[in-house]
Structure formats: structure tokens, C-alpha cells
Amino acid sequence: MAKQEIPYKIYLSEDELPKKWYNIKAAMKSQHEPFLNPATGKPCTADDLRPVFCDECIEQELNCTDLYIDIPEEIRNFYKMYRPSPLVRAYCLEKALGTPAEIYYKFEGNNTSGSHKLNSAVAQAYYAKKQGLKSITTETGAGQWGTALSMAAAYFDLDLTVYMVKVSGEQKPHRREVMRTYGANVILSPSDTTEAGRKILREFPGTGGSLGCAISEAVERAVTSDSCRYVLGSVLDHVVLHQSVIGLESKAAMEKYGVAPDMIIGCCGGGSNFGGLIAPFMGDKIAGKNDIEFIGVEPASCPSLTRGRYAYDFCDSARITPLAKMYTLGCGFMPSANHAGGLRYHGMSPIVSKLYHEGYMRAVAVEQTKVFEAAQMFARIEGILPAPESSHAIRVAIDEALRCKETGEKKKILFGLTGTGYFDMSAYKQFNDGTMQDTIPDDAALERGFATIPQVQENI
Ligand SMILES: *Cc1c(COP(=O)(O)O)cnc(C)c1O
């Protein structure tokens, strides 16, 4: 029989939507170090986390043994409104590059929030509802996470308060309106609604706020309000678990046509989309069933994997969260202005950090102007206007495809296209105007960040 022609878009049917998430930790030979309670220096117990996070998310966070975890019917029903997401064969891009490589991308921007973040937002909102909670709270910087969570909270009829970094709220008033349309209470941070916010306002009147401050405000609200919990859009293991739906669908779609990827590329902010995209493929690699090359891509302005330290650090700049062993630039590291807001994070998922540390994947840092060149090319050739974050993966996919052109290798490249860039037009404007600049921290700037990593006694 002739080999089946691969369509431009490989769709899975509703029945093929995964029924279980893939818990990569159960496939790993060794686990990442436990989260530490900063007050005691001892590993966090479920009880330590209970005032802050939903019970079911804590269970998932600490689960290292079940390879598959059921996706509840209610969550699958929401997923069905926008999933399975398409896996696209980038025929037009291949042709434009003149590469013998095959390029595939998994597109997660096909929902109103415009990114993959909805996959975890809906799961976390569901578990809050199931636990009988009335409200949830979070912070948002660029706005993608807040938007995704607003949609999920509306669906499950939960009150949601989003602390939005003041400068972002002012720069992106439309983002804020989308969230309010879905019913979220959006408070610009710092605000006078929390002790943390009032303190910052007293000390720095007129400040534009920061993600660290917004996190402090949201966590304070969660622990001081009845029936309220805090939810987080990346970094933590349960978020990576929820995002495994991306990898499971990609694997199923490729297997339908007998395609086995040689290389998988994704952008890394907190590491959740990348961790979820690679999860089932990485599990097979650990079991010796494939030899896929995994590449995490980060901005040169915020290079936690390629230039960071593997150390215990706070997950937030306000130094209130548990300590995680991860690749970090230091919780006090201030990345320079970079338009990929979703990638401006000082640390990295402990799961992704561990895989990187053990040599199962590599990482590449790319400069902003090169990223936007790739974004513009992709928009013109493949039609989709990509998010700046996603465009980091596009850049490296293009570079790898061009390398194949030189060597004649017919590699099969899969990359994650995490979202669309409609709210990032001021960044595109700078690029189009030719005023965009690359800022790469020098070693002294990195040292200043490393100095903010707390001293932690290891091997407790
Ligand atoms: C938030 C975001 C990212 C980065 O987050 P991860 O947790 O690293 O996945 C990437 N792309 C888009 C479009 C985002 O909104």
C-alpha cells in the first residue's frame, strides 16, 4: 500500500481526546528534590500547602508514582470546546526554507485566551469548585494566564480576583477588559486591598508594580479569605501534568500517520508547555524506546537554563513561596525589558530542571530580534500571527531545518506553537519600526541575581 499522504492539519476526533494525563515523574528514574518550607527548611508536606492550594492539585503535585491520572469528565467536556488542537504539517514553511526536514507544529492558540494556559486553568478551576470553594485568586503579568483563568472561572461559576501588574494593566487595557468580560475582578497591583500591597505603596508611591508583588497580594488574599485558594499558571508539577494533554495529542496524531519525531522544540518560561509537550515522548526516551533530541528555548535576556544555577530558590521575588530546586537566575533577578512577557521568569519547572540536569534535553537561548524575524517570516508563510513566546520555538525550528538543508538530513521536527500574538502588537511595532533592541545580561548582572538565591542547607 502506498504511504498515506500527510494532511496539512492532522485532527484527532473528540473520542481521541486523551482520557488521562501523563505524569512524567512516574517515568523518571530519579525525582527532583522536594519543595522546602522556607520557615523550617524541611520538605513541604501536603498540610503546609493546604491553606494556599486546592487539595486535589496538592495530591497531583506530590504524586510521583501514577504514570496516568484520569482527566475528570467535566474537564474533558470543557476541553472538547477547543480540543483536540490541530497538529499542522508546515508544508509551506518547509518549501520556503528549501529544507528536506519535515516540520510539524502543535497549535495551542485556537481559543479565546490565545494560549495553552487554558489547559491547566480549567483543571485548577474545576478542582476548586469540586472542593466547594467559592473563589480563587492569581496574579498575571502579560495577561495570558489571567485571561485563561477568567474563562475557566466563568465556566465553573467561581469568583476570581486577578492581581494584574499595574504597568501591564495600563499597557494592555484590552487584556483587562477581556478578563472583566468573563467576570473577573481585576485589581491593578500594588493595591490597597492587601497588607503587602499597602506596604509597597507606602514605600514606593507611584510604582508600576511587579510580578513578585502581585503574587504576594494574591497569596495573601487566598490565605486570609474563607473559601479561597491561589492558583498558578506554570512551574509547578501539577501544571506540567495538565499540559501533558499537548504531548499526548501530538503523539497520537503523529502515530496515526506513522511519523516519529527526531527532535522536539518548545519555548520555556516556567516550563509548563514544554514539559507537557515532551512528557510522553520523554517517558519513552527514558525507557530506551526512542532517541529524540529535546530542545528548550529561552530568551537570551532571561537565560535560566543556559546560564543559571541549579539551586534551591524561592519561586517568587517576594520570597514567600516554598523553595524549589531548579535552574534559577536568582529570585531577585530583574530581567531587562523583553517582549516575551511569558518567558521573563527567573526560575524553571523543577521537572524540566531535573531532566536538563541529567542530560535528557538541551537548551538554547535566542535573541529577541532574531525571534521576531522568525515570527514575521512564520506569519507571512504559515498565516498564524504567533505570540512572541512561541516564536522562540519557531526560531530554533527554522534554524534546525536550515541545518538539515546543509547536511541533507530528513529530520522530523516537532515544535510547540503555544499561542497567538494579537495583544503583543506594541512589540511587533518596535520590530516593524526597526527600534527593537537585544539586551543580554552581562556576568556582573547575573552575579547580582545569584546573590539573591537563599542559602539553603542541602541533604536534609
Ligand atoms: C505563558 C506563556 C508561555 C510560557 O509559559 P510556560 O509555562 O513556560 O509554558 C509560552 N507561550 C505563551 C503563548 C504563553 O502565554
Side-chain angles (χ1 to χ4, degrees), residues 397-419:
I398 289 176
D399 290 346
E400 291 295 337
L402 289 174
R403 194 162 303 152
C404 288
K405 187 176 176 176
E406 281 168 25
T407 61
E409 285 172 288
K410 295 193 172 77
K411 280 192 186 167
K412 298 181 181 70
I413 301 171
L414 165 64
F415 74 89
L417 188 66
T418 49

Side-chain angles (χ1 to χ4, degrees), residues 263-278 282 292-300 302-307 343 348 352-353 355-356 359-366 371 389-397 400 414-416:
M263 182 179 274
I264 303 182
I265 301 166
C267 63
C268 287
S272 73
N273 87 80
F274 179 72
L277 170 68
I278 67 172
M282 180 61 87
I292 298 173
E293 193 178 352
F294 298 95
I295 309 175
V297 189
E298 58 186 13
C302 193
S304 39
L305 287 170
T306 50
R307 294 174 71 197
L343 306 183
M348 184 55 61
V352 172
S353 293
L355 290 168
Y356 180 63
Y360 286 105
M361 56 172 279
R362 63 185 176 95
V364 181
V366 288
V371 166
E389 292 89 346
S390 324
S391 305
H392 286 68
I394 298 175
R395 171 77 268 163
V396 173
E400 291 295 337
L414 165 64
F415 74 89

Side-chain angles (χ1 to χ4, degrees), residues 25 35 44-46 49 57-65:
K25 287 195 288 182
F35 290 97
C44 280
T45 62
L49 302 171
C57 293
I58 297 170
E59 293 294 312
Q60 294 177 348
E61 189 65 30
L62 301 175
N63 187 332
C64 305
T65 47

